[in-house]
């Protein structure tokens, strides 16, 4: 294992300490727990609060999107491990302004269990909570079983849409409804070229040959749908988009936002090579790209690979996508 770290057991806390020192005007902890982070100005008056959370190792997901126009609070676990229900409850109390809290996170067993427990605790304190699960990974369950799918890079679009709606002063039910609408129009699929190493474990999470790739692998190393010889960038883009088109609601005349996401160790140059082909394929299908995000938005430590996410837009979703946002890892100026 080669990593620029100190004690592996301190990996997550030292990372958060650095983040807080780098962004003291934007983030603060709840009490003394480094794993419970909120906006510096939380709770925001007369606004539905949005909370997320999950294991570390995916930066900027989850804590990178806490800020104006997006999230109000986050709870962080160890690498690829869920935080506790008590931590989630503490953040919920800290960010609630009286209009309720939206729980918005990926569909993973530990997170679901602990967020559900936190929701029950919050309701005992008369804090209204709605939950929206992100299930955008088309490789993780077949069409018709979308509720079983994992949440991956589509979280970024979900955060943006929900955050913008909440910033308008909308009620909790309306924030949840528009977020669900967006998620029904979001599909993601990725490809992995290499494993990653959890610092406390000290060895790769899986094995894959230098000349192989795995289509559909999850961000924790969950099995994909096909492992085979490494293909060209154009072939990878064609394979992923074919699966997304087969599953999703995308047709000629649509407008979409595209997220081309690096998984942690893929050079930006390679992402642009893939985006070149993505833009060509969408153009050939008569689908207009309204906005694009290209870079690292949801990673898996130092895994090499990338994912493609499409969000089909209507006028409401375009307005929310265009709304101001400013967090340590996201600025509206980054959306082209």
């Amino acid at each position: 294992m080669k990593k620029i770290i100190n004690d592996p057991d301190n990996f997550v806390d030292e990372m958060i300490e650095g983040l807080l020192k780098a962004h003291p005007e934007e983030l603060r902890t709840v009490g003394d727990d480094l794993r419970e982070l909120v906006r510096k100005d939380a709770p925001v008056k007369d606004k539905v609060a949005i909370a997320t959370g999950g294991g570390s190792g995916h930066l900027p997901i989850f804590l990178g999107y806490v800020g104006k126009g997006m999230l109000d609070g986050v709870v962080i676990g160890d690498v690829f491990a869920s935080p506790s229900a008590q931590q989630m409850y503490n953040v919920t109390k800290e960010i609630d302004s009286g209009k309720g809290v939206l729980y918005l996170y990926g569909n993973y067993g530990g997170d679901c269990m602990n967020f559900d427990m936190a929701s029950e605790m919050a309701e005992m304190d008369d804090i209204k909570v709605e939950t929206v699960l992100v299930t955008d990974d088309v490789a993780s369950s077949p069409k018709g079983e979308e509720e079983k799918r994992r949440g991956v890079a589509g979280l970024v679009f979900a955060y943006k849409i929900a955050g913008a709606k909440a910033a308008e002063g909308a009620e909790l039910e309306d924030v949840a409804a528009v977020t669900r609408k967006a998620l029904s129009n979001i599909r993601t699929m990725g490809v992995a070229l290499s494993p990653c190493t959890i610092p406390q474990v000290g060895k790769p999470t899986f094995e894959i040959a230098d000349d192989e790739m795995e289509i559909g692998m999850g961000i924790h190393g969950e099995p994909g749908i096909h492992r085979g010889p490494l293909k060209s960038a154009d072939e990878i883009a064609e394979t992923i988009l074919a699966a997304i088109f087969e599953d999703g609601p995308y047709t000629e005349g649509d407008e979409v936002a595209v997220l081309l996401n690096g998984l942690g160790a893929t050079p930006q140059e390679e992402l642009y090579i893939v985006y070149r082909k993505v833009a060509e394929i969408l153009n050939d299908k008569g689908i207009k790209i309204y906005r694009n995000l290209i870079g690292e938005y949801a990673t898996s430590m130092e895994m090499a690979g990338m994912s493609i996410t499409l969000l089909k837009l209507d006028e409401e979703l375009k307005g929310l996508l265009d709304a101001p946002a400013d967090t340590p890892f996201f600025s509206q100026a980054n959306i082209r």
Side-chain angles (χ1 to χ4, degrees), residues 22-251:
H23 302 280
E25 303 304 317
E26 298 170 275
L27 300 171
R28 64 178 175 85
T29 61
V30 179
D32 296 326
D33 191 340
L34 288 170
R35 309 296 183 92
E36 303 170 9
L37 296 172
V38 299
R39 287 173 54 163
K40 190 68 175 284
D41 57 352
V44 181
K45 185 179 180 182
D46 296 327
K47 188 186 85 69
V48 167
I50 304 173
T52 194
S56 184
H58 303 299
L59 202 65
I61 296 281
F62 303 90
L63 67 168
Y65 300 112
V66 175
K68 296 178 181 177
M70 294 187 84
L71 304 173
D72 295 270
V74 63
V75 280
I76 296 297
D78 285 328
V79 177
F80 299 173
S82 177
S84 73
Q86 183 65 51
Q87 290 171 313
M88 295 171 182
Y89 169 63
N90 293 343
V91 165
T92 302
K93 289 195 300 180
E94 191 75 10
I95 63 178
D96 178 47
S97 70
K99 292 195 68 169
V101 179
L102 178 69
Y103 284 173
L104 181 57
Y105 59 97
N107 186 28
Y108 296 95
D111 295 335
C112 292
M113 178 182 69
N114 288 321
F115 267 108
D116 284 349
M117 291 174 61
S119 175
E120 293 173 3
M121 297 163 71
E123 289 176 0
M124 291 175 65
D125 275 348
D126 295 324
I127 299 174
K128 190 173 182 181
V129 173
E130 285 269 359
T131 295
V132 175
L133 286 178
V134 178
T135 56
D136 58 308
D137 184 1
V138 301
S140 54
S141 281
K143 192 168 184 176
E145 299 182 10
E146 288 85 357
E147 74 282 354
K148 297 180 181 179
R149 290 177 174 173
R150 301 180 292 245
V152 285
L155 279 158
V156 178
F157 282 142
Y159 292 161
K160 183 67 187 68
I161 297 300
K165 189 68 173 180
E168 291 180 352
E171 298 302 317
L172 179 59
E173 295 79 6
D174 296 326
V175 176
V178 77
T179 306
R180 291 188 180 105
K181 180 175 81 167
L183 287 168
S184 71
N185 289 288
I186 294 173
R187 300 292 188 281
T188 301
M189 182 177 275
V191 58
L193 309 185
S194 76
C196 62
T197 300
I198 298 173
Q200 289 172 298
V201 176
K203 61 182 180 180
T205 51
F206 60 91
E207 295 183 359
I208 188 168
D210 289 342
D211 60 351
E212 287 184 319
M213 67 178 191
E214 185 154 352
I215 296 287
M217 178 170 283
I219 57 174
H220 306 105
E222 300 96 335
I225 57 176
H226 174 74
R227 180 177 290 201
L230 179 63
K231 302 293 186 180
S232 70
D234 285 0
E235 290 172 311
I236 291 171
E238 289 167 350
T239 299
I240 291 175
L241 284 180
I244 288 176
F245 289 138
E246 183 178 351
D247 189 275
Y250 313 103
T251 59

